[in-house]
Amino acid sequence: MKRLFLVAGELSGDNHGAGLMRALLDADVDLQLGGLGGSQMRAIAPAIDDWLDEAAVLGIWEVLKKYGYFKAKMEETVARIEAEQPHAVVLIDYPGFNLRLAQRLRDGGYVGKLIFYISPQVWAWKKGRVKTMAKLLDRMICIFPFEKELYENSGLETVFAGHPLVDSLVKKKRDDIERDEDLVALLPGSREREIESLFAPMVGAAIRLRGNRPGLKFATAAANSALEKRMREIAAEAGLDDLEFAEGGVHVLMQQAGVGVVASGTATLEAAYFGLPYALVYRVAWPTYAIGRMLVQVDFLGIVNILAGREVVRELLQGQASAESIGDELERLLDDRAAREKLQADLAETVAQLGGGGAYRGAADAVIDAAFASTIS
């Protein structure tokens, strides 16, 4: 029996892990899958230990508070892998735990393959970590094309499998939707912190725009009912009483709106995929931002601009994420059809770099090739 041990420690990793597992079983049914993950992975393979309630913590302080738990889980996981002797261990993102696990396994003499899927963003924060990963890992499977060269330059065998987001969004693309040039999308993100920080200036920009364009409509989408309630309160306090909440969800709105403003994150890549002309906004506490700017080693914050190597989408960061600046950029896009069309063409060209679909199957093929290239008795 061919055996793989997978490790994911966050909700996104569980999602990617499940997609990878389905593709693995489609490619080779003679596989025994086990490891650590979440409910989605466990639904595919009962030998997956669902530990997300404990593992999915954010922030250094939260991790330190659970140091004892993670130490014990590391010992348990190393012992389990040594006992089961899988042909390969597939580490899915979650670098804080997974790279320590890789080091422990190598130090302990594990002879199977160590494969990393969904590269940690070392290209933004810790490029020096690439050399360490090259010594520990047998293969990196990345989802952004520029990551391949970065890892291969350090001697780590790397495969670009494509971005899974393309596979999920292609099913949501609608040919029956036409853009409404008078509809503006206000998309502040899906976290409470983002709503509190970014939605008020977005609404303020809408109020300013309507002063010159009374026919404009504004719409948004909320991740849950609690956030929707808070967003309605913010809009009502500012006087934007006719704010719409998209019935079809955020992906439909991204295809309906003429222009939009989007909080930094995955949504900016989704908006790019759907061809929404937009501005990116980002705001955190100033100490956090200052420390981040000292550590980050890229010229842009938005992944679309990082992929393009230039500012395709206007980035309004910190103090620039104001009602005035957001309003000015939206007004520029509303006024200039040529600018909108140029932006849409640039977005399409950039998104094309992510591959044409089949990302999980590509990753599964890369795992199988690395894990079972030699004949297994």
Side-chain angles (χ1 to χ4, degrees), residues 169 172-174 176-189 199 202 217-223 231 243-262 267 270-278 344:
L169 295 182
K172 299 177 181 179
K173 201 156 192 175
R174 298 265 300 273
D176 60 330
I177 296 178
E178 291 188 10
R179 291 203 179 276
D180 182 346
E181 294 185 2
D182 291 326
L183 178 63
V184 179
L186 309 178
L187 303 176
F199 197 52
M202 288 184 181
K217 295 166 290 185
F218 299 92
T220 188
M231 291 164 73
L243 176 69
E244 301 173 15
F245 280 77
E247 293 185 3
V250 67
H251 296 134
V252 170
L253 178 56
M254 287 176 175
Q255 297 171 78
Q256 291 174 327
V259 299
V261 53
V262 186
E270 295 172 332
Y273 178 85
F274 290 120
L276 172 69
Y278 72 93
Q344 288 176 310

Side-chain angles (χ1 to χ4, degrees), residues 4-332:
L4 294 176
F5 192 99
L6 301 94
V7 182
E10 296 169 312
L11 184 60
S12 62
D14 182 40
N15 181 46
H16 291 311
L20 175 62
M21 290 168 68
R22 293 187 195 97
L24 284 166
L25 293 173
D26 285 344
D28 188 341
V29 294
D30 187 30
L31 281 178
Q32 185 179 76
L33 304 176
L36 306 177
S39 60
Q40 295 181 74
M41 294 171 66
R42 183 173 173 78
I44 298 169
I48 295 289
D49 177 13
D50 182 354
W51 71 319
L52 284 200
D53 285 346
E54 298 289 347
V57 295
L58 295 173
I60 296 175
W61 176 241
E62 286 74 12
V63 172
L64 289 176
K65 286 195 296 184
K66 301 185 71 169
Y67 173 78
Y69 169 80
F70 283 112
K71 186 175 185 297
K73 198 65 177 181
M74 178 67 71
E75 299 302 325
E76 175 190 318
T77 305
V78 169
R80 183 176 166 188
I81 292 171
E82 289 177 344
E84 296 179 9
Q85 284 297 303
H87 295 93
V89 176
V90 182
L91 306 166
I92 304 169
D93 202 359
Y94 203 55
F97 185 89
N98 276 337
L99 291 181
R100 287 179 175 84
L101 175 60
Q103 185 70 64
R104 284 290 306 275
L105 292 173
R106 288 298 185 223
D107 291 345
Y110 174 69
V111 296
K113 301 293 185 181
L114 294 181
I115 303 165
F116 210 105
Y117 180 45
I118 312 290
S119 161
Q121 293 183 352
V122 291
W123 39 268
W125 294 90
K126 298 179 179 179
K127 288 186 179 179
R129 188 181 271 185
V130 173
K131 293 181 180 179
T132 300
M133 296 170 74
K135 293 177 182 178
L136 294 174
L137 305 174
D138 295 290
R139 175 168 287 183
M140 170 64 70
I141 305 172
C142 59
I143 61 175
F144 292 114
F146 59 83
E147 294 173 329
K148 181 175 170 63
E149 181 179 3
L150 172 67
Y151 286 108
E152 288 187 331
N153 285 343
S154 293
L156 176 56
E157 185 179 284
T158 306
V159 173
F160 168 59
H163 201 298
L165 189 67
V166 175
D167 295 279
S168 65
L169 295 182
V170 71
K171 304 169 187 174
K172 299 177 181 179
K173 201 156 192 175
R174 298 265 300 273
D175 295 328
D176 60 330
I177 296 178
E178 291 188 10
R179 291 203 179 276
D180 182 346
E181 294 185 2
D182 291 326
L183 178 63
V184 179
L186 309 178
L187 303 176
S190 58
R191 297 181 177 90
E192 182 180 357
R193 177 187 61 79
E194 294 173 319
I195 302 301
E196 295 298 336
S197 175
L198 295 171
F199 197 52
M202 288 184 181
V203 170
I207 298 293
R208 287 169 57 88
L209 285 169
R210 180 162 285 171
N212 296 325
R213 295 174 173 77
L216 282 181
K217 295 166 290 185
F218 299 92
T220 188
N224 56 53
S225 58
L227 290 180
E228 178 178 337
K229 179 182 178 183
R230 179 58 184 141
M231 291 164 73
R232 288 187 183 277
E233 290 173 352
I234 293 172
E237 289 168 4
L240 191 64
D241 298 320
D242 59 346
L243 176 69
E244 301 173 15
F245 280 77
E247 293 185 3
V250 67
H251 296 134
V252 170
L253 178 56
M254 287 176 175
Q255 297 171 78
Q256 291 174 327
V259 299
V261 53
V262 186
S264 178
T266 302
T268 62
L269 204 53
E270 295 172 332
Y273 178 85
F274 290 120
L276 172 69
Y278 72 93
L280 176 153
V281 292
Y282 176 82
R283 182 190 282 173
V284 292
W286 276 106
T288 301
Y289 181 76
I291 293 171
R293 290 308 299 170
M294 288 189 291
L295 296 175
V296 169
Q297 301 168 8
V298 290
D299 295 328
F300 302 105
L301 181 68
I303 189 61
V304 169
N305 292 337
I306 293 171
L307 279 166
R310 57 191 176 88
E311 190 179 60
V312 170
V313 174
R314 187 70 53 84
E315 297 189 354
L316 302 175
L317 313 180
Q318 294 299 99
Q320 286 188 311
S322 64
E324 293 77 10
S325 295
I326 294 170
D328 287 346
E329 177 58 13
L330 290 175
E331 189 168 36
R332 182 184 74 85

